[in-house]
Amino acid sequence: QVQLVESGGGLVQAGGSLRLSCVVSGNIFVPEAMAWYRQIPEKERELVAATTRDSITNYADSVKGRFFISRDNAKNMGYLQMNSLKPEDTAVYYCNAEIRGPHGGVFSYWGQGTQVTVSS
């Protein structure tokens, strides 16, 4: 069974940095895409950054130039480097992976989320 586990969240002052990690297990194929989303209470989950298997990336406008997504296919890991953090970056951050199934199709998997809190 495919599982995603995030780590690296925490409390940081504005202007600081955090690095989130996501380990994928139980998959046969390398994820087609990996992404990070975030969510605050009573708001919809929003895409923060995404990367394809070939490391083509895209970012939400609000994080461009501050956040950087990467992945290590050999280690089955994804990362989100977050710099120059702002209080409005406070949210639960979720890792997402789209992985091809053994019998076809592509399935979307989510981690349990990790809290990031940025104090002013």
Side-chain angles (χ1 to χ4, degrees):
Q1 185 172 352
V2 175
Q3 289 188 319
L4 278 63
V5 179
E6 303 101 334
S7 61
L11 173 64
V12 64
Q13 287 190 331
S17 298
L18 283 175
R19 188 193 194 208
L20 305 184
S21 298
C22 174
V23 58
V24 183
S25 62
N27 52 310
I28 297 173
F29 298 107
V30 170
E32 297 297 312
M34 295 189 72
W36 290 90
Y37 287 74
R38 65 187 181 189
Q39 188 171 25
I40 59 175
E42 301 183 354
K43 288 286 186 77
E44 289 192 1
R45 196 170 293 187
E46 66 170 358
L47 177 67
V48 175
T51 179
T52 67
R53 185 169 54 180
D54 300 324
S55 297
I56 297 171
T57 59
N58 71 287
Y59 297 90
D61 288 343
S62 59
V63 306
K64 281 181 181 176
R66 300 188 298 122
F67 289 14
F68 300 94
I69 189 171
S70 61
R71 58 189 289 175
D72 185 332
N73 292 335
K75 294 182 178 179
N76 244 357
M77 295 283 296
Y79 306 96
L80 184 68
Q81 177 67 41
M82 305 186 294
N83 302 324
S84 302
L85 282 160
K86 305 175 181 179
E88 51 264 43
D89 294 320
T90 295
V92 177
Y93 283 71
Y94 296 90
C95 179
N96 172 267
E98 294 186 349
I99 303 173
R100 196 183 319 163
H103 305 295
V106 177
F107 300 88
S108 183
Y109 299 91
W110 294 90
Q112 82 288 352
T114 184
Q115 177 70 46
V116 171
T117 302
V118 184
S119 63
S120 57

